[in-house]
Amino acid sequence: MKKTLITSTAMVLLAGAAAAQVSFSGYGRFGLGYNENRVSEDIALVSRFRLNIDGKAVTDGGVEFSARVRLQADDTPAINEQNAATLNGARFSVIYGGLRVDAGNVAGQFDNMVNYYGFEPGLEAFTGQYVGVDYSFLGYSSTGAGSNAVYVNYAAGGFSFGASYDPNVAANNDRWDVGAAYTWNNFTGAVTYGENENDQSLVIVTLGADFDRFSGTVLIGDEDLGAGATNDGTVYGLSLSFDVGAATSIQASYGSGEGDSDTEGYGISFVHDLGGGVSLKGGIGQQAAKNASDNVIGDLGVVFNF
């Protein structure tokens, strides 16, 4: 009788979850990370657990309403400690055809920009082609409340257009950004511009290409951070990925800017697919301000998707 009751309860719960269209996805990663300028030991245990919780409902007319929260636990390698998992702010979406509107804890146009991040070397994605960018644009928060903002995107054929607006009342610094992308043959080009009420601005152009075993992205832009800034001006970077076999690829990136105190970063890494959504990843590189001493970084570990 007890077994029957448990089975019946489980079936009811599963049926309810199916009707509500709730889904789970995410990944875990863990390994060793090296940073020669770390306050404590140079080598620390690095890890992340991420679980996306998505709820979705669709009207009879085909309009999709959805929401997402993320549960994430990260490490603190500076003191070689683990953090407790926390839920972030919710993101709400309305999707119909090629139109999407997000509200709440959203990613802005730069955060959604095609090929902005490129290929990021290492288990922890410890560097990237964008490291020279210092302008604070609207981004999705995985561990905090995020900004209470709006993002709109429309896609048709090879063309897409996006824009976002963040009132940022607490800081009294409204910010917005707008951009477009177009894909043709093996190439995708994109441009995004943004500014805020502090008279700061950023414009970025990216170009990506995909040729079977080889892929690459290029980023170039200009940022104005106001009078006295020593880390603005032209920013630039590139990233590459090359498949050396059926299960192994090599990734590399370089990024910097013309400012005296701009960050310069570069790295190279490998990704080896073990099957079943599990990969072995590791890399080595350098990232520091151009007017500071070198800082060698690297990592090695496993990432698994679920």
Side-chain angles (χ1 to χ4, degrees):
M1 179 68 181
K2 184 177 180 181
K3 183 177 179 181
T4 303
L5 178 61
I6 293 174
T7 303
S8 300
T9 303
M11 291 178 66
V12 169
L13 290 174
L14 289 172
Q21 299 185 69
V22 176
S23 62
F24 301 89
S25 64
Y27 70 85
R29 71 184 190 201
F30 64 95
L32 294 176
Y34 173 83
N35 187 321
E36 69 170 338
N37 287 345
R38 189 170 287 145
V39 176
S40 57
E41 297 296 324
D42 292 344
I43 298 177
L45 179 65
V46 295
S47 62
R48 169 178 289 172
F49 171 82
R50 173 179 292 177
L51 177 66
N52 298 315
I53 306 171
D54 294 282
K56 182 178 71 173
V58 182
T59 69
D60 293 341
V63 181
E64 178 183 315
F65 291 84
S66 63
R68 163 176 287 191
V69 291
R70 175 174 289 174
L71 181 70
Q72 183 159 307
D74 286 306
D75 56 14
T76 306
I79 56 175
N80 199 15
E81 294 290 347
Q82 175 68 260
N83 291 319
T86 58
L87 279 170
N88 69 345
R91 183 194 71 199
F92 300 89
S93 303
V94 180
I95 304 170
Y96 182 73
L99 178 65
R100 178 187 182 110
V101 180
D102 293 342
N105 177 18
V106 306
Q109 177 59 20
F110 283 108
D111 206 9
N112 280 301
M113 185 179 185
V114 179
N115 294 320
Y116 175 83
Y117 292 100
F119 298 101
E120 301 169 284
L123 173 71
E124 306 167 277
F126 55 71
T127 190
Q129 63 182 14
Y130 48 81
V131 297
V133 177
D134 294 292
Y135 176 83
S136 180
F137 55 75
L138 174 62
Y140 180 79
S141 175
S142 292
T143 56
S147 298
N148 197 28
V150 177
Y151 169 73
V152 179
N153 180 268
Y154 179 76
F159 175 82
S160 67
F161 169 84
S164 60
Y165 174 67
D166 176 18
N168 205 0
V169 175
N172 193 29
N173 184 29
D174 292 11
R175 52 185 175 176
W176 60 270
D177 40 53
V178 60
Y182 182 69
T183 299
W184 70 102
N185 298 327
N186 303 95
F187 299 91
T188 300
V191 58
T192 297
Y193 174 82
E195 64 178 47
N196 60 34
E197 277 197 291
N198 288 336
D199 294 326
Q200 298 175 327
S201 64
L202 171 67
V203 59
I204 293 290
V205 176
T206 63
L207 178 65
D210 187 355
F211 298 101
D212 192 19
R213 296 173 60 188
F214 172 81
S215 299
T217 62
V218 177
L219 175 152
I220 188 167
D222 184 81
E223 57 183 353
D224 181 358
L225 303 180
T230 61
N231 57 343
D232 60 1
T234 303
V235 294
Y236 45 84
L238 60 86
S239 68
L240 305 170
S241 177
F242 181 71
D243 297 335
V244 296
T248 306
S249 63
I250 301 296
Q251 297 180 346
S253 77
Y254 172 82
S256 189
E258 70 169 336
D260 294 336
S261 60
D262 257 323
T263 300
E264 181 179 50
Y266 51 85
I268 187 169
S269 71
F270 76 93
V271 181
H272 181 69
D273 186 4
L274 300 175
V278 182
S279 297
L280 180 66
K281 302 181 72 173
I284 189 169
Q286 194 278 147
Q287 184 165 304
K290 292 195 295 185
N291 57 4
S293 58
D294 291 343
N295 180 34
V296 177
I297 48 181
D299 55 25
L300 176 65
V302 174
V303 57
F304 54 97
N305 300 294
F306 51 84

